[in-house]
Amino acid sequence: MGVVTTEIEHVSVVSPSKLFKAMVEDSDNVFPKAFTNYIKSVELIEGDGGPGSIKKVTLAEGYVKHKVDLVDEENYAYHYTVVEGSVLLEPLEKVSYEFKLVGNPDGGCIIKSMEKHYTKGDAQLSEEFLKTNKERSAWFIKVVEDYLLANPDYN
């Protein structure tokens, strides 16, 4: 199995506590509202939301199941692994995501994320695939951020 790692940093005007709550603790409510044409639902199908739990994200076209690896509310860190679903295209076996939100003095935060793409056998991933995936991750963060900015009363 091969592993290809990519890292992304994104600066947000949203506080780390608010962004963490929206992306982790309240994703089942926020994601379908923020991604109206992309995500239909997010549901906890096993566990209590902590490490070892399984979540299912139903997409407009397909689904994703991911296993929660780490929830660190104090340090705003979250890790999960996509283990099944329509986004696991050949030659991917699984994809692990890790992100940490670091506060800025201006009240916003820096989102530091790392993705590990595990390929079947010794398959390689193209630069185009990796570039598109980075762009998709940045878009995902931006959509959640835009949703929170458009809904200032969200707590």
Side-chain angles (χ1 to χ4, degrees):
M1 167 184 345
V3 181
V4 179
T5 302
T6 58
E7 295 184 28
I8 302 166
E9 262 192 29
H10 178 82
V11 177
S12 176
V13 297
V14 177
S15 72
S17 60
K18 192 172 199 175
L19 197 55
F20 189 82
K21 180 179 179 191
M23 292 180 70
V24 177
E25 298 168 352
D26 198 24
S27 62
D28 55 337
N29 292 314
V30 172
F31 288 2
K33 292 175 185 174
F35 299 92
T36 55
N37 295 323
Y38 186 65
I39 296 177
K40 290 185 174 187
S41 66
V42 178
E43 60 186 307
L44 184 64
I45 59 173
E46 187 178 309
D48 61 3
S53 297
I54 304 291
K55 289 188 175 187
K56 180 180 180 185
V57 181
T58 303
L59 307 171
E61 295 181 21
Y63 75 99
V64 175
K65 282 187 183 175
H66 72 258
K67 179 182 174 194
V68 177
D69 300 315
L70 171 82
V71 180
D72 183 346
E73 296 170 11
E74 185 176 312
N75 294 300
Y76 304 118
Y78 185 67
H79 302 182
Y80 66 96
T81 302
V82 173
V83 294
E84 182 182 318
S86 51
V87 298
L88 283 179
L89 304 174
E90 286 295 327
L92 294 174
E93 184 174 305
K94 64 182 179 179
V95 182
S96 293
Y97 297 88
E98 301 177 5
F99 74 82
K100 180 175 175 68
L101 309 177
V102 180
N104 274 343
D106 65 2
C109 66
I110 299 171
I111 300 123
K112 297 180 178 193
S113 67
M114 181 171 34
E115 300 176 5
K116 295 178 184 175
H117 301 83
Y118 295 84
T119 60
K120 297 174 183 173
D122 57 356
Q124 301 294 311
L125 298 174
S126 71
E127 288 300 319
E128 183 62 29
F129 173 87
L130 296 172
K131 179 183 175 216
T132 300
N133 207 54
K134 273 186 163 184
E135 290 169 353
R136 186 177 303 121
S137 293
W139 168 79
F140 190 87
I141 293 166
K142 183 76 173 126
V143 169
V144 174
E145 181 182 51
D146 288 349
Y147 173 81
L148 294 173
L149 292 172
N151 294 279
D153 294 334
Y154 173 81
N155 284 323

